[in-house]
Structure formats: C-alpha cells, structure tokens
Amino acid sequence: MELLPLVCLCLLSCSGDARVTVLVKEDGDAVLPCLISNKEDITGKLFDWRKVESQKENKEVFMYDAGSHYNNGRPGQDDQFKGRVSHFQDQLQNGNASIKITRTKMDDSGNYSCDFPRHQPSQPFIVELLVGAAPEPNIKTLDHKPDWALLQCEAHGYPPLRVEWKDSAGKTLPAEEPQISKQGRYSYVTVNITVTKTDDYSCVATQKNISHQVAAVIPVHIQGEILPSCDLICKSFKHF
C-alpha cells in the first residue's frame, strides 16, 4: 500500500476555505490531499478534482463516481492530465479522495479543487500545487587577465532560487550582489565573481523549499598566479 503524506486536514466540517500547498520538483510526483473529516467510506460516492484556471473556467483533472473514473473508460478528462492522474483505491473506505499526479510539469502549477457535489452543503477543498524547475546554470568568462578572471553565472527557476559561487573544496566564495529579475513565474539571477587563483569554480543554484539543487563548473587558469616561494615552503616544513 502506498503511504500518503502525513497531513492533517478537514474538509466538509471546516468553516471557511481550507487550503494546503504542495511543493514538488518538475518531473516528480505530487500527491494532492483531500479527506472527509469523519472518515466516511466514499467508495460509492462522487468526488471531482478540477484545476481552477479562472472564475469561469476549470480543467477536469480526475472524477470518481462509485467506481467509474477516468482511468477505466469514463470520458471528460482534460488532455493535460490524461495518463498522469490516479487515486488511492484502498483509501476510499477511510474517506480519502486524494490523487497523485505523475511527471509534473510547470503548467501543472496552480489551484486545484476537490469537491463532493452531492454532499450538502458542498464545500470544495483547495490545494495549491507548486511545481519547481531550475535548469543547469549558465557560466561564462566576461574578462580574463594574467592575474584574475571575471566570471558570470546566470540561473533561473521557480520557486525563487539562491545562487552561490564555490571553489573545488566546496567553500562558498564572496561575490558581487546578485542581480534579480522576474519573467512570469520564473526568477532570473545573475551573479559575477572575480577570482585570482587557478581552480575549478562552481555556480550552485538552490531551491530550498523543494530540496532541489543544480550546479555548473568552469575551470580557470590564472597565468600570473603568485605561488608560495621556496623560502616560505622551507620555513613551513622547518616549523613542523
């Protein structure tokens, strides 16, 4: 039996709008929770999941009616969700109308309603799905002199991300202030850094709220790098 997230929710007994937010990485699976608070057996009931596009427009995501649903021949499901949505048959007896959306895409982000139309009063349960994405950062050299190099990292993603420069040892390096802009849902971040040592430098983009991290590496050779003198090295050995 597949385990559902440990989320404490109420549906039909709640006053006002009940909401929960689900975060998932792009191409991952998302479980959208919906439970009747009294754990009534809903095997013979009707429940309907829709994606709320506007006040007048919704997309059919998943409908279950006493055993009939979109995965066993029932018509009406929106093309965006065909073959990607399932329910938890063994949990219906516990009042659980949750669904799972597989291979999530950015376009899946939005508000979803879970409703029991034949239950009075009808009170849809609203779930916000946030699908995160952050492709590998783009690194380039803006300028290169004998004793330094100016590097630039460009990264974008959703939800917002933190961008850092690191050396080959994994140490976070001081860099210029990030330049941040937005286009639609995406945040675009540009961070420049000046380095003075030969090393492999990484630009790391992190999205903490979905536990997602991507990185790109660029090797840099500094021709005029000042190396420790023989006298200094010898003194270091003598010290030990």
Side-chain angles (χ1 to χ4, degrees), residues 18-222:
R19 288 176 178 269
V20 68
T21 298
V22 175
L23 297 172
V24 64
K25 289 182 286 189
E26 191 172 32
D27 293 325
D29 297 344
V31 174
L32 307 189
C34 180
L35 305 126
I36 292 183
S37 58
N38 60 8
K39 296 185 178 181
E40 175 187 354
D41 187 350
I42 58 173
T43 304
K45 305 290 184 179
L46 166 67
F47 63 87
D48 187 20
W49 277 93
R50 295 180 179 182
K51 186 173 187 286
V52 183
E53 297 293 314
S54 66
Q55 292 184 344
K56 296 183 179 180
E57 182 182 358
N58 297 311
K59 289 183 176 181
E60 274 294 335
V61 178
F62 188 84
M63 180 181 286
Y64 174 96
D65 189 2
S68 172
H69 52 82
Y70 291 143
N71 292 333
N72 64 9
R74 186 182 186 91
Q77 188 177 33
D78 190 272
D79 288 343
Q80 178 179 340
F81 301 100
K82 285 184 177 180
R84 296 196 299 126
V85 185
S86 60
H87 68 300
F88 298 87
Q89 181 66 37
D90 59 348
Q91 292 292 311
L92 296 178
Q93 60 185 354
N94 300 320
N96 194 334
S98 303
I99 59 172
K100 180 170 72 172
I101 302 177
T102 61
R103 306 185 305 280
T104 54
K105 304 175 290 186
M106 285 288 294
D107 289 345
D108 294 333
S109 293
N111 291 324
Y112 291 74
S113 67
C114 171
D115 191 19
F116 288 77
R118 294 173 186 160
H119 191 285
Q120 297 300 323
S122 176
Q123 182 181 344
F125 180 74
I126 305 299
V127 179
E128 181 184 19
L129 175 62
L130 297 178
V131 180
E136 184 177 298
N138 179 44
I139 299 178
K140 59 184 176 183
T141 302
L142 296 181
D143 199 359
H144 199 161
K145 302 298 183 181
D147 54 352
W148 57 268
L150 177 60
L151 311 178
Q152 183 179 83
C153 176
E154 295 178 322
H156 67 278
Y158 173 83
L161 60 166
R162 185 183 74 248
V163 178
E164 298 174 305
W165 280 99
K166 296 186 178 185
D167 61 17
S168 59
K171 179 182 177 181
T172 300
L173 303 174
E176 297 179 15
E177 283 293 316
Q179 303 299 311
I180 303 174
S181 62
K182 294 199 70 175
Q183 294 183 23
R185 289 195 182 101
Y186 280 95
S187 292
Y188 287 76
V189 183
T190 301
V191 181
N192 295 345
I193 187 173
T194 299
V195 297
T196 57
K197 295 181 179 180
T198 298
D199 201 355
D200 291 335
Y201 293 93
S202 300
C203 177
V204 183
T206 304
Q207 295 166 299
K208 279 190 173 181
N209 46 3
I210 58 172
S211 301
H212 183 54
Q213 188 175 84
V214 289
V217 181
I218 184 171
V220 176
H221 178 68
I222 303 298

